[in-house]
Amino acid sequence: MPSYSERLYDWLLRLYPTSYLYDFGEEMRFVFSASLKDATGPQGEGLLTLWRRTLADVGKTALREQISAQGELLMNSSKSLNPNIAVAVAVLLFVPLFTLNLFAVGNYPGFDHFFRDVFSLSAYSNNPLGSAIVHAAVLLLPLGAYVALRPVFVLRRALPLNLLIGILLLAAFVVFVGAMGQEAYRCDVLQIPKCD
Amino acid sequence: MVEQLAKSEFYILLSLALKKRHGYEIMKQVERDSNQRVLLGPGTLYGSIKRLLQVGLIQEAPGEHARRKYYTLTKAGRSSLLAEIERYNDAVQLAKEANLLKKLASKLAA
């Protein structure tokens, strides 16, 4: 029958990633149980000292292992997405987006007004080619979000880092496209003089 | 070859220099070898073991107790440990030749 300390340590082990526990969970339990026997023995350091050290150890290493596991998952997920397919999709999407944007920048002055004014990209504002590339890159943000969110759907687990990156990329896409659309509407449809 | 060994990793390699051990034995040996200066909790111990396995300095080995995982040095592990000990040895030699211990101690006392 496990002691209270062993049960509490079992509970704390849940803070570590599942893959890490699969490899080392049982061993860690064994090491803790043996340390517990030592600490509560005749010449032991005492239960309080053991728990002070154990809590510090768990706090430091559980966070490190979680970050490490998230990094490995992100690496594996990007590896599992066949790079040839990802590049092919990006190129296939980029070409029509770039052409469309080049046409829009050339014909609708307000279209690149957002980047020109908001980011003060003067070098790029006089360059329709650069403008079209930036716009097309913005429109590719959902592809990045797909790559980040894919493992969440494949593994059916909430992976905080993947979710964060995916949501950030989607949010950036919505903000950029919304702002660009609004500028184009104000300048080209409403004909606000400031846009000229 | 690993570029830099953490203190805990160095002592883990040192504990495996002469024989294979399981996690708890490693932990106790590290405490003895470091004169209680390096106290490894289970998290730090297995985090270091995981890294040493990943970089190929140690490997799992069969042991007396089937339920325990035993670890032993690989060839790269022995070579890395030797290089690290030689580096420490060079530093100690240098300190002795320059009488650094006395000089540093007197400066600290001043």
Side-chain angles (χ1 to χ4, degrees):
Chain A
M1 176 101 176
S3 66
Y4 284 116
S5 285
E6 284 168 317
R7 271 186 269 176
L8 181 58
Y9 189 71
D10 264 0
W11 186 84
L12 284 174
L13 281 178
R14 292 180 197 181
L15 297 172
Y16 289 89
T18 318
S19 57
Y20 182 80
L21 287 183
Y22 180 79
D23 289 335
F24 303 112
E26 199 188 328
E27 293 295 305
M28 288 171 76
R29 267 186 208 103
F30 170 75
V31 169
F32 178 77
S33 297
S35 303
L36 184 65
K37 271 184 199 157
D38 286 350
T40 52
Q43 293 187 332
E45 58 190 356
L47 203 56
L48 274 179
T49 310
L50 174 74
W51 268 112
R52 186 176 49 77
R53 278 176 48 194
T54 302
L55 288 176
D57 182 61
V58 171
K60 190 173 69 179
T61 57
L63 182 68
R64 192 176 60 198
E65 292 306 329
Q66 285 289 358
I67 292 170
S68 161
Q70 290 296 328
E72 280 167 21
L73 264 173
L74 205 63
M75 290 280 286
N76 290 338
S77 65
S78 59
K79 276 181 199 162
S80 70
L81 180 70
N82 187 331
N84 295 334
I85 294 175
V87 170
V89 170
V91 170
L92 281 174
L93 280 174
F94 192 80
V95 170
L97 287 175
F98 174 71
T99 313
L100 191 70
N101 278 289
L102 197 58
F103 173 78
V105 170
N107 291 281
Y108 301 99
F111 195 76
D112 65 343
H113 186 259
F114 173 73
F115 280 100
R116 199 170 55 212
D117 280 7
V118 176
F119 292 113
S120 305
L121 297 172
S122 53
Y124 127 99
S125 67
N126 296 323
N127 176 6
L129 202 69
S131 174
I133 289 173
V134 172
H135 283 98
V138 166
L139 294 173
L140 281 175
L141 285 173
L143 185 70
Y146 167 73
V147 172
L149 291 174
R150 190 171 175 271
V152 177
F153 295 108
V154 172
L155 299 174
R156 297 183 183 202
R157 275 177 50 205
L159 307 170
L161 197 63
N162 294 51
L163 281 170
L164 180 72
I165 292 172
I167 289 168
L168 279 179
L169 289 175
L170 282 178
F173 174 73
V174 170
V175 168
F176 278 126
V177 171
M180 281 194 285
Q182 195 191 15
E183 288 297 319
Y185 179 74
R186 284 175 63 232
C187 298
D188 296 329
V189 181
L190 300 180
Q191 301 286 312
I192 292 172
K194 171 178 167 291
C195 300
D196 297 330
Chain B
M1 166 91 80
V2 177
E3 285 176 13
Q4 187 75 47
L5 286 174
K7 191 163 59 174
S8 57
E9 292 167 352
F10 168 72
Y11 276 108
I12 289 172
L13 292 187
L14 193 62
S15 74
L16 295 172
L18 296 179
K19 60 179 274 199
K20 64 185 171 190
R21 295 179 196 274
H22 60 67
Y24 182 68
E25 283 180 326
I26 294 174
M27 191 179 89
K28 299 309 281 181
Q29 190 60 41
V30 167
E31 283 177 17
R32 278 192 290 272
D33 290 345
S34 68
N35 290 324
Q36 307 285 321
R37 286 196 188 99
V38 180
L39 303 173
L40 303 174
T44 312
L45 173 68
Y46 282 99
S48 305
I49 285 177
K50 181 185 139 192
R51 182 168 176 269
L52 292 171
L53 284 168
Q54 279 172 344
V55 296
L57 297 188
I58 62 173
Q59 63 190 5
E60 281 184 34
E64 297 92 72
H65 303 286
R67 289 189 65 202
R68 300 272 74 84
K69 278 184 186 172
Y70 285 77
Y71 301 97
T72 182
L73 290 183
T74 60
K75 196 176 172 191
R78 275 190 289 276
S79 151
S80 187
L81 179 63
L82 186 65
E84 197 76 355
I85 291 172
E86 279 174 352
R87 196 168 67 82
Y88 282 129
N89 193 39
D90 289 347
V92 170
Q93 281 298 117
L94 187 71
K96 276 183 182 169
E97 281 165 21
N99 205 13
L100 276 181
L101 288 180
K102 271 191 179 174
K103 285 176 187 171
L104 285 173
S106 63
K107 280 199 174 179
L108 271 176

